[in-house]
Amino acid sequence: MTAGTWTLEERDGELASLTRWWDEAAAGAGRLVLVGGDAGAGKTALIHAFGRRLGDARLLSGSSEPLATPLPLGPLRDMTGALPDRLSRELSGTPDPVKVRRLLLDELHGGGVATCVVLDDAQWADEATLDLLRFLGRRLGTCRALVVVAYRQDEVGPRHPLRVLAGDLATIPAVRRLTVPMLSEAAVARLASGTGIDPGELHRRTGGNAFFVTQVLGDGGATVPATVRDAVLARAARLEPGARDALDALACLGTRAAPWLVEAVSGRSARELDACVERGLLTDEQGAVAFRHELVRVAVEQAIPPGQAAELHRRALAVLTARPPGEVEPARLAEHAQRAGDRASVLVHASLAAQRASALGSHKEAAAHLRRALGALGAIPAADRAGLLEELGRECHLADDLEAALRARQAAVEAWREAGDRRRQGGALVGLAITAAHLAREIPLGEKACDEALGLLAGAPPTAELALACAVRAKLSAMAFRHAEALAWGERLLAMTGDGTDLQGRALALSSIGIGRALGGDAAGLGLIEESVRLARAAAAHDHAGLAYFWLQLICVTRRWYAEAERWYGEALAFTDDHGQEVWRQWLRAFHSRALLDQGRWEEAEALASEILRTAGVDDGRKMLSMVVLGRLRARRGDSDPRPLLTTVRSTMVTAEPVVGWIIGPAPALAEAVTYTGDTGQVRAIATSVSAAAAEQGEPWLLGELASWLALVDGPPAVTPDVAEPYRLQLSGRPRAAAARWQELGCPYEAALALAGTADEGILREALMAFDRLGAGPMRDVTARRLRRLGVRDIPRRPSRAAGPDGLSAREQEVLALLADGLRNAEIAQALFLSRRTVEHHVAAVLRKLRVANRAEAARYARYHGVAVR
């Protein structure tokens, strides 16, 4: 809908919501509003109408463009002229994304006037822009600022980065959601009044799409076109040839452009654009011409014959390449080169665009540019191809596309082998080992690659590649619980760092030594890892710092040092948040969900693990760990059958389980779940299948848990000294001592399990009360049966789980929130790792309890009451 030309129909509620949130923001309670709606629903018109209500408030506006590879921080660059000098200067060079985020937050926090920031078409936003929004969303609460993010809801699927961002921010108090619906038939009738157009036919053809409606009404014809494209082209067909040529040129240049550029590319006078403005196809704004809507540009562009389009892109490339260095983004030049079929220019500009995107933190976009460059390669030396492949592997890894990173790194290894460069081949092998380690299930491949790299680099003078290979080998040894090996590799690396001026090398060495000591039970090793964090941060080696924080969390949680884990968690989370390290942040949260599970904080554990599963884009260890947490919760509470979920983890981790089974834990979790079903034979099969490898590895907590589940079916085993102390006490027939030790560690469920294995009425009653407090239904029932067999009759009733204020359980509230976000049952099932039939039951229960007729009414209820995924 074109605000200012047509009445803004049926938007009073949305305007009232935006106005209310603006008032809150202006008072110092900042807000980030996600405004969704289908293409043409009227999101931009709504925001423009809202902007006119702001009076003298500062308005900053920018939008993402539908380029094949988005411009890094494109929306922020649109605002450059209205931003303070320091931030504008930072954006004009090669920006540091961390500094950009901080400067913008400082401006919103410390500005003397309330500010409204609008980012339109966020469905096309690049990774750096989404990181910026994630950063702001978590910090806006005390700013006098409203950030409005508009996006096409119909183009944002369950795994779209913006959907992931919305889920990640769902529980932030400053975040709000708003959906712009299509127009009703009554609204279309009011708009069509007096035009002679049948309003019923208009609504049927347009579906209430506000933009489509206004295009038809603005054309003045009595016939309603079948599509938006038909409506746009009907208008364009009435243009004179010169105006149409200018319009076509602009369509190839993008959503907006300076008139001089359109003139240079089209060969027509810029005055020809006036007719396009008069026809309602373009707008004239701030010295530039722009399409009234992206739907108009797409319709015009698609109607241009391919040969003519290629020629326009060739002209655009020539004109823009001649501009002063740095004026035109290399990504834009690469786009025109690609569409013009100029392979040599694609190689040059795409490579530069990848470097720039990487520097800005837009690693997904950098990877896309590198693929474009690789696709344009001709007969160039193998080393050049290998270099591009190695960069592609690195960018895919940083973009959290680990499968693609693995393929690219493998190809880079082969290309360097072909080029005969042993040092670079060794470096590529180390990169391959890093990606394989992050995938977790590919740990054996990572060990093989790292060992091959060390073989290639051995005997040569110390290099950065050799130092990194030693560091990675140490971490891989630690993952396999070979902590003495990790310590040895760390000592070797420390010797290579020389006089200590190499902060990054020393950080890597100290973290390896600290990991080896801490895994061996020496808590002083944590201090060495802490020192490695300090050195890495001083050297601006942010990824190494993130890795060290990861190990601090892994060690503290798996060793049951929960107080230390909690201490490091807060600091690590703040660091990864500040530096846009979303992958490390998710790993930290995955281990935190495990710690919450262990400490009996089950609702928090479930919420956190569920969020990780919705937002993690890779089936790696952090996702597997979260699935194990959810599986154990479902088993312990008796919510739903956890075996399919845990079996999926175990089958995914089959090759890596002997190495990292102690970290992820799929086998003991599955043995626990099967125990509650009473299938003793299956418990024995699961536990014995991994017992030999676990015994060889010697990780005490895994050994103890496997032995405890086997003891339920085969009787108490011979207890060995290498089993963790609480399990050793439990297996030795000392339940009270075991329970006391579990309580000291902070593990109430394990303490109750230790008590439940006795035949003493008093001890069993203690266990029963503990299971009731936790909501552990299956073991509560087992304990109650044991009490009945002892002749006890005054057993308390099983307490019911509390529901929310609307009568919905926590799971039903989660289903409702996803339903309100537009997800279908299959998508909800995928997001929550439930069966489709289970989701159908939950949806039916939601509709019944809310007393609504359908999903649409339930979604409205959720939006009105602020139900969010937690």
Side-chain angles (χ1 to χ4, degrees):
M1 184 183 305
T2 308
T5 303
W6 301 100
T7 304
L8 197 65
E9 288 283 348
E10 295 186 329
R11 299 295 181 252
D12 290 348
E14 289 78 10
L15 281 170
S17 294
L18 287 172
T19 302
R20 181 174 70 255
W21 296 329
W22 166 253
D23 290 342
E24 293 170 355
R31 297 286 180 257
L32 186 149
V33 184
L34 297 166
V35 180
D38 290 353
K43 303 178 295 297
T44 303
L46 170 68
I47 293 169
H48 284 171
F50 166 67
R52 290 194 294 274
R53 294 185 172 191
L54 298 183
D56 296 332
R58 181 169 56 167
L59 179 63
L60 304 175
S61 181
S63 62
S64 298
E65 295 184 66
L67 301 176
T69 306
L71 296 175
L73 293 177
L76 202 58
R77 293 174 184 281
D78 287 348
M79 306 174 193
T80 301
L83 294 173
D85 291 343
R86 188 179 176 193
L87 182 51
S88 295
R89 285 196 301 272
E90 183 66 28
L91 285 167
S92 64
T94 302
D96 176 349
V98 176
K99 187 179 290 186
V100 167
R101 291 194 289 268
R102 277 290 171 196
L103 287 172
L104 181 57
L105 180 64
D106 290 346
E107 179 64 20
L108 297 180
H109 195 274
V113 62
T115 304
C116 179
V117 181
V118 176
L119 282 83
D120 205 357
D121 285 324
Q123 73 277 356
W124 297 317
D126 65 289
E127 186 178 358
T129 298
L130 295 178
D131 283 344
L132 173 67
L133 292 175
R134 184 177 282 109
F135 179 87
L136 291 177
R138 293 171 183 157
R139 292 166 174 80
L140 271 177
T142 57
C143 296
R144 294 185 64 205
L146 176 72
V147 178
V148 180
V149 182
Y151 66 98
R152 292 186 183 180
Q153 202 161 271
D154 50 329
E155 294 188 18
V156 177
R159 290 295 176 187
H160 191 284
L162 186 61
R163 178 85 69 177
V164 172
L165 170 69
D168 196 24
L169 296 179
T171 59
I172 304 296
V175 176
R176 299 290 185 270
R177 303 290 290 272
L178 186 67
T179 300
V180 180
M182 294 296 186
L183 296 175
S184 69
E185 187 169 351
V188 171
R190 286 192 295 271
L191 288 170
S193 177
T195 65
I197 295 177
D198 180 356
E201 174 70 4
L202 179 58
H203 185 267
R204 186 181 68 78
R205 285 286 185 93
T206 64
N209 183 291
F211 174 74
F212 194 175
V213 169
T214 56
Q215 284 295 297
V216 173
L217 295 176
D219 194 45
T223 303
V224 182
T227 65
V228 174
R229 183 176 184 273
D230 293 336
V232 169
L233 294 182
R235 282 189 167 194
R238 296 185 178 90
L239 294 172
E240 295 295 328
R244 182 57 189 267
D245 289 345
L247 187 70
D248 289 348
L250 178 58
C252 292
L253 286 166
T255 304
R256 69 181 68 80
W260 69 262
L261 180 56
V262 178
E263 183 174 310
V265 173
S266 68
R268 298 288 190 169
S269 167
R271 290 191 299 274
E272 299 284 2
L273 294 168
D274 294 341
C276 302
V277 173
E278 292 170 3
R279 181 63 61 183
L281 296 165
L282 304 180
T283 61
D284 190 349
E285 49 186 46
Q286 300 177 345
V289 283
F291 281 97
R292 190 166 292 281
H293 197 285
E294 175 60 15
L295 292 172
V296 178
R297 191 198 68 79
V298 170
V300 172
E301 184 185 37
Q302 290 177 346
I304 304 172
Q308 181 184 338
E311 176 58 30
L312 287 170
H313 284 290
R314 276 192 289 273
R315 293 182 196 171
L317 180 63
V319 172
L320 293 174
T321 304
R323 302 299 296 174
E327 181 179 307
V328 182
E329 285 285 334
R332 196 176 293 280
L333 297 174
E335 179 92 1
H336 288 303
Q338 180 80 35
R339 291 172 177 260
D342 187 340
R343 294 166 66 91
S345 294
V346 168
L347 183 57
V348 171
H349 298 305
S351 299
L352 291 173
Q355 294 173 20
R356 183 162 178 79
S358 179
L360 288 166
S362 290
H363 301 295
K364 179 182 176 183
E365 287 69 35
H369 287 304
L370 287 165
R371 290 191 183 96
R372 181 180 268 174
L374 283 162
L377 286 178
I380 70 167
D384 293 340
R385 180 172 177 274
L388 286 173
L389 284 167
E390 197 167 358
E391 280 302 305
L392 176 60
R394 177 179 177 274
E395 295 302 328
C396 287
H397 184 107
L398 292 172
D400 206 18
D401 188 353
L402 298 186
E403 297 284 1
L406 199 72
R407 293 192 297 271
R409 290 195 190 274
Q410 288 172 319
V413 169
E414 292 308 311
W416 284 121
R417 183 177 285 123
E418 181 185 337
D421 191 325
R422 289 171 62 88
R423 182 180 68 82
R424 296 296 299 272
Q425 182 187 343
L429 281 163
V430 176
L432 175 59
I434 291 171
T435 295
H438 278 254
L439 266 171
R441 65 179 182 273
E442 295 290 353
I443 289 283
L445 172 62
E447 291 187 311
K448 179 181 177 183
C450 195
D451 289 342
E452 186 179 346
L454 287 165
L456 285 171
L457 299 169
T463 61
E465 289 87 355
L466 178 59
L468 187 58
C470 291
V472 172
R473 180 66 266 184
K475 304 301 188 296
L476 288 167
S477 297
M479 283 186 176
F481 205 69
R482 298 196 297 269
H483 41 85
E485 279 185 29
L487 188 60
W489 282 109
E491 296 285 3
R492 176 178 174 181
L493 181 54
L494 186 63
M496 291 169 55
T497 61
D499 59 5
T501 56
D502 178 8
L503 297 183
Q504 183 171 321
R506 188 170 177 80
L508 288 171
L510 289 179
S511 68
S512 300
I513 296 169
I515 289 165
R517 290 185 181 177
L519 283 179
D522 181 3
L526 299 178
L528 293 175
I529 307 175
E530 178 182 7
E531 176 65 8
S532 79
V533 169
R534 187 187 67 78
L535 291 172
R537 293 180 68 162
H542 303 314
D543 202 51
H544 292 306
L547 175 62
Y549 278 127
F550 158 85
W551 274 101
L552 280 169
Q553 200 69 189
L554 184 159
I555 291 168
C556 290
V557 172
T558 57
R559 298 305 91 200
R560 276 67 172 177
W561 298 338
Y562 300 118
E564 291 86 349
E566 191 71 29
R567 172 199 164 200
W568 288 113
Y569 179 67
E571 179 180 320
L573 208 62
F575 175 82
T576 54
D577 201 10
D578 283 348
H579 291 82
Q581 295 181 331
E582 194 59 23
V583 173
W584 285 130
R585 183 175 178 272
Q586 288 175 340
W587 267 110
L588 294 169
R589 286 156 68 81
F591 279 112
H592 190 54
S593 73
R594 155 80 184 273
L596 292 170
L597 168 72
D598 292 348
Q599 295 173 91
R601 295 160 62 182
W602 287 0
E603 288 192 4
E604 295 172 73
E606 181 180 40
L608 192 53
S610 297
E611 183 181 332
I612 294 161
L613 290 178
R614 282 193 301 273
T615 57
V618 182
D619 288 337
D620 65 356
R622 75 200 118 131
K623 198 166 183 177
M624 300 298 111
L625 187 58
S626 301
M627 291 169 74
V628 168
V629 168
L630 280 186
R632 294 200 116 144
L633 273 170
R634 290 177 186 176
R636 292 176 182 184
R637 295 194 305 205
D639 287 347
S640 57
D641 188 356
R643 288 173 294 177
L645 182 65
L646 295 171
T647 301
T648 298
V649 179
R650 197 162 181 227
S651 61
T652 302
M653 300 291 296
V654 62
T655 58
E657 188 173 62
V659 182
V660 293
W662 66 280
I663 300 173
I664 307 300
L670 189 57
E672 177 181 358
V674 174
T675 295
Y676 303 147
T677 69
D679 189 343
T680 56
Q682 187 67 8
V683 174
R684 183 184 297 111
I686 294 166
T688 54
S689 69
V690 294
S691 291
E696 181 179 351
Q697 192 176 59
E699 200 281 324
W701 297 95
L702 177 60
L703 284 174
E705 184 170 10
L706 290 173
S708 72
W709 297 123
L710 275 172
L712 294 177
V713 295
D714 293 335
V719 183
T720 57
D722 52 355
V723 170
E725 182 190 15
Y727 286 117
R728 198 164 62 244
L729 293 168
Q730 185 175 329
L731 294 167
S732 300
R734 301 171 61 190
R736 280 204 177 278
R741 186 70 186 105
W742 280 119
Q743 289 289 8
E744 288 174 15
L745 291 170
C747 302
Y749 186 74
E750 285 75 8
L753 279 178
L755 295 174
T758 72
D760 182 283
E761 179 185 341
I763 295 177
L764 286 173
R765 283 185 180 276
E766 288 181 40
L768 188 76
M769 291 174 62
F771 291 133
D772 279 345
R773 284 194 298 270
L774 290 164
M779 274 309 299
R780 196 264 184 207
D781 293 344
V782 169
T783 307
R785 286 196 294 271
R786 289 174 181 167
L787 283 167
R788 290 191 189 97
R789 284 198 294 269
L790 293 174
V792 178
R793 292 292 175 264
D794 60 334
I795 300 172
R797 287 174 176 262
R798 180 175 175 175
S800 58
R801 290 176 62 183
D806 46 18
L808 301 182
S809 68
R811 173 65 75 201
E812 289 164 351
Q813 288 179 353
E814 196 168 28
V815 168
L816 173 61
L818 294 174
L819 185 153
D821 210 22
L823 272 67
R824 299 184 295 273
N825 284 359
E827 295 169 334
I828 295 173
Q830 181 184 10
L832 298 180
F833 287 82
L834 298 170
S835 71
R836 185 167 180 173
R837 182 174 293 276
T838 299
V839 170
E840 289 171 355
H841 289 316
H842 283 314
V843 171
V846 167
L847 299 183
R848 184 181 68 255
K849 290 180 179 181
L850 296 183
R851 298 181 181 178
V852 296
N854 51 48
R855 299 165 71 96
E857 290 184 19
R860 280 194 290 273
Y861 174 94
R863 287 193 289 270
Y864 181 80
H865 291 279
V867 177
V869 177
R870 296 191 180 273

